[in-house]
Amino acid sequence: MLWLLFFLVTAIHAELCQPDGENAFKVRLSIRTALGDKAYAWDTNEEYLFKAMVAFSMRKVPNRETTEISHVLLCNVTQRVSFWFVVTDPSKNHTLPAVEIQSAIRMNRNRINNAFFLNDQTLEFLRIPSTLAPPTDPPVPIWIIIFGVIFCIVIVATMLLILSGIQQHRRCQSFSLCAFRKNEGPSEMEDTEDKCENTITIENGIPCDPLDMKGGHINDAFMTEDERLTPL
């Protein structure tokens, strides 16, 4: 009796899972290409893991939360690791629509790849286009990165302002020193002229007062009587 029941179940599975079936999908794995010497053998345990991942993906689809591992059927498994699979609905004894399976696999493609240490190129669902992996959160929050960039810009700008102020201060000091030297030059010349004017010349042994070239001197011998008298 059990043998007959097993035969009937196998026959039903063979009828539901067929290559190129309406809701069947072919999978091809390149384990040795991806892992090299660390490649693992594909056996019944790996098949069970694949069924579990497909059932997990289907349970994410609305109204398919009751999907079990036994609802995923595999057929035409080859040694080069390729096979077909379908997902059945036991209550109605038929396969689930390909659109639902495709949507479930695409939403969880990255989880399935990680389970077998493969990627979209080494774990191929031939009728299901690959999708980009979901974006990963950066180890450092974005606001900290932005704050760090702004802080660095402020520090650099402050340093440039300080260096610019120091250079401008040095230029002002140099300019003031030059201006002081220029202003100091004519005063020294005037002191020299005063010294020359105050020197007493000696002619024929008689000291003579120097002539006042600025104000001049009036010789009384050549003054007229009107000039000697004090004007009213």
Side-chain angles (χ1 to χ4, degrees):
M1 190 69 179
L2 293 176
W3 179 83
L4 181 60
L5 180 61
F6 176 78
F7 178 78
L8 291 175
V9 171
T10 303
I12 293 174
H13 286 180
E15 182 181 355
L16 293 177
C17 183
Q18 293 181 359
D20 296 321
E22 181 182 0
N23 298 319
F25 292 90
K26 185 176 183 179
V27 179
R28 185 165 52 204
L29 293 88
S30 303
I31 301 174
R32 185 165 295 278
T33 301
L35 302 178
D37 296 337
K38 297 181 180 180
Y40 50 84
W42 186 262
D43 53 18
T44 56
N45 294 327
E46 301 299 331
E47 291 181 5
Y48 181 85
L49 178 59
F50 180 83
K51 293 178 182 180
M53 294 305 300
V54 173
F56 166 79
S57 302
M58 292 303 302
R59 292 170 73 96
K60 298 287 186 179
V61 179
N63 301 323
R64 299 301 177 187
E65 294 84 358
T66 59
T67 303
E68 301 292 340
I69 297 176
S70 59
H71 300 164
V72 182
L73 306 180
L74 272 62
C75 58
N76 284 58
V77 181
T78 65
Q79 291 184 350
R80 300 190 66 175
V81 193
S82 66
F83 54 85
W84 292 78
F85 79 95
V86 294
V87 182
T88 63
D89 185 356
S91 62
K92 299 180 180 179
N93 195 23
H94 67 80
T95 57
L96 297 181
V99 176
E100 293 186 12
I101 300 174
Q102 184 179 21
S103 176
I105 296 299
R106 293 190 68 183
M107 286 191 301
N108 299 275
R109 185 68 179 270
N110 192 48
R111 299 284 294 274
I112 298 174
N113 290 346
N114 292 338
F116 297 97
F117 306 107
L118 302 175
N119 53 36
D120 290 351
Q121 287 71 42
T122 53
L123 175 55
E124 302 176 81
F125 292 83
L126 299 187
R127 289 173 53 191
I128 302 177
S130 60
T131 57
L132 297 176
T136 57
D137 295 332
V140 181
I142 297 178
W143 69 269
I144 292 181
I145 298 175
I146 296 175
F147 176 78
V149 172
I150 295 176
F151 182 76
C152 292
I153 294 175
V154 172
I155 292 297
V156 172
T158 304
M159 293 297 296
L160 291 176
L161 288 175
I162 293 174
L163 293 176
S164 177
I166 293 174
Q167 292 180 354
Q168 186 175 4
H169 181 68
R170 290 180 178 177
R171 291 176 182 174
C172 291
Q173 286 184 339
S174 301
F175 179 78
S176 300
L177 182 60
C178 293
F180 175 76
R181 290 179 177 177
K182 290 180 180 179
N183 294 332
E184 188 180 16
S187 61
E188 292 179 353
M189 293 178 63
E190 291 177 358
D191 293 341
T192 304
E193 291 178 355
D194 293 339
K195 292 179 180 179
C196 293
E197 292 175 355
N198 294 330
T199 54
I200 300 174
T201 57
I202 300 175
E203 296 181 2
N204 298 326
I206 300 173
C208 299
D209 294 331
L211 295 176
D212 188 359
M213 300 302 294
K214 296 179 181 180
H217 291 276
I218 300 175
N219 193 342
D220 294 337
F222 295 93
M223 292 180 61
T224 60
E225 292 183 357
D226 294 336
E227 291 174 349
R228 289 193 185 97
L229 296 178
T230 304
L232 296 177

